[in-house]
Amino acid sequence: MNMMCVSCCKDNLSKDEIGVNKKLLGESVSEYYCIDCLAEYLEVSVEDLKDKIEEFKEQGCTLFD
Ligand SMILES: [Zn+2]
């Protein structure tokens, strides 16, 4: 499945990018942002999002399998 960023059209979004979209925007979202655009959208830094991804993985979140 090739997911594309709805904002900048970067394609081949990673599982981490898709997982963090679902975690932060809701599992029912149908449009995804790349990590750069998601950070901008949520007004946080890319580093914050990467930290979050690691946190979710540590919690065993299945969205990142
Ligand atoms: Zn983007």
Side-chain angles (χ1 to χ4, degrees), residues 5-10 13 32-38:
C5 173
V6 68
S7 179
C8 72
C9 294
K10 178 189 153 187
L13 297 184
Y32 300 96
Y33 295 93
C34 68
I35 198 161
D36 294 314
C37 293
L38 187 64

Side-chain angles (χ1 to χ4, degrees), residues 6-36:
V6 68
S7 179
C8 72
C9 294
K10 178 189 153 187
D11 62 5
N12 276 317
L13 297 184
S14 69
K15 275 187 178 163
D16 285 356
E17 286 171 310
I18 291 175
V20 78
N21 271 268
K22 288 183 173 175
K23 276 300 249 190
L24 298 177
L25 302 179
E27 287 189 39
S28 61
V29 290
S30 55
E31 296 177 325
Y32 300 96
Y33 295 93
C34 68
I35 198 161
D36 294 314

